[in-house]
Amino acid sequence: MGRGDLTNAEWDRLESFLPPGGARGGRWSDHRRVINGVLYRVRTGIQWRDLPERFGPWETVYKRHRRWSADGTWTMLLSRIQAAEDAAGRIDWDVSVDSTAVRAHQHAAGARKAPPATSPQKGNVRGTNQVDPVLPETRRPAGGGGQIGECLGRSRGGFTTKIHLAADGRCRPLAFVLTPGHYGDGPQLERVLEQVSVPRAGVGRPRTRPDRVLADKAYTSRSNRRYLRRRGIPHTIPERLDQQRHRKNRGSQGGRPTSFDNERYKKRNTVERTINRLKGFRAVATRYEKRAYIYLGTVTLAALIIWLRT
């Protein structure tokens, strides 16, 4: 076992949730070796072609990561681990929300706006003279294409992608959303909280409502506060100075001042520490993937490892 590979205890927690192997009689690379290969690349940020030989062919490792990013396997594994932690009472539901900008490498640009067209390939099918068509690119989620569709944009930091995330009180990511780097934080609060969904260990609906939400002044809009009140979620969000002046200038029509607990707000540092943990993975700190769904799979795998090792 190499440094950073899955330990036996971590593998035991994941093995039962993994999809079955290849077709009978076919060659199939062991899931554990492939996951360790993907994890090695996510941790170091090297090119796929430079993976050490002990992980097998690099094409196998990359294609499985791409396929599991597209079909939601990484997301399913993260959801199962979160469900187990919640059943054991090890999730702190004081949730903090924030975002971080990720610099996109020049190789992240240039994705096709549409999947490549299917082209015929010469050959026989079962001994006949029929043409065997080439299968199109591995299925990917709907959407994408262009810089905005692939969550790439220009901001003060340059060519960037932004990760909006919600973290629990133990510095572990509960949910995240990707946007282009120039998108604001406040409008994404509702999208991020809608992604929070931790299944129950037994019967019942997934848990989607935190005990409390903590966020900085970027999320202090009236629409965000109305959304949180509508869902019955207590929140601790400071009010900007210009909002305070505007409310006071309106007199009795300005409404009551928002409540704010300074001691509770000190706990918001958990989301900053969660971001530091995520960016400890070099392939998360710098985006190399052209497709947003593959980069989202990379972030999901990093989050999964954080949950396994915390």
Side-chain angles (χ1 to χ4, degrees), residues 285-307:
T286 302
R287 174 177 170 176
Y288 299 97
E289 289 83 357
K290 296 180 186 296
R291 296 294 184 189
Y293 78 92
I294 301 180
Y295 181 65
L296 183 61
T298 299
V299 178
T300 305
L301 175 58
L304 174 63
I305 298 303
I306 291 174
W307 277 87

Side-chain angles (χ1 to χ4, degrees), residues 77-136:
L77 293 175
L78 177 61
S79 180
R80 296 292 182 88
I81 297 302
Q82 289 176 343
E85 291 292 297
D86 187 43
R90 291 194 292 262
I91 294 183
D92 184 344
W93 282 96
D94 282 352
V95 174
S96 301
V97 180
D98 205 350
S99 72
T100 181
V102 175
R103 188 65 180 265
H105 194 270
Q106 60 184 358
H107 294 167
R112 294 187 181 95
K113 293 186 178 181
T118 301
S119 57
Q121 180 182 10
K122 294 182 180 180
N124 296 336
V125 179
R126 294 185 180 179
T128 67
N129 293 324
Q130 299 177 10
V131 176
D132 184 14
V134 175
L135 294 177

Side-chain angles (χ1 to χ4, degrees), residues 165-191:
L165 72 154
D168 80 331
R170 298 185 62 189
C171 305
R172 299 174 297 187
L174 281 170
F176 30 82
V177 171
L178 300 184
T179 65
H182 60 279
Y183 278 31
D185 292 354
Q188 307 304 322
L189 176 69
E190 184 173 346
R191 285 186 63 196

Side-chain angles (χ1 to χ4, degrees), residues 6 11 14-15 17-22 28-36 38-39 60-78 138-141 293-298 300-301 304:
L6 293 174
W11 171 248
L14 294 178
E15 185 177 12
F17 304 135
L18 292 171
W28 183 258
S29 294
D30 178 64
H31 277 320
R32 185 171 185 176
R33 183 173 70 165
V34 172
I35 293 176
N36 283 334
V38 178
L39 181 57
T60 301
V61 180
Y62 166 69
K63 288 180 180 179
R64 199 169 301 179
H65 173 57
R66 183 180 67 178
R67 183 167 62 249
W68 285 4
S69 298
D71 64 16
T73 300
W74 293 128
T75 304
M76 177 271 295
L77 293 175
L78 177 61
T138 301
R139 294 180 181 178
R140 59 186 177 90
Y293 78 92
I294 301 180
Y295 181 65
L296 183 61
T298 299
T300 305
L301 175 58
L304 174 63

Side-chain angles (χ1 to χ4, degrees), residues 165 167 171-173 270-278 306:
L165 72 154
C171 305
R172 299 174 297 187
T270 54
V271 69
E272 305 287 353
R273 291 153 60 191
T274 304
I275 291 172
N276 288 340
R277 286 182 174 182
L278 279 175
I306 291 174

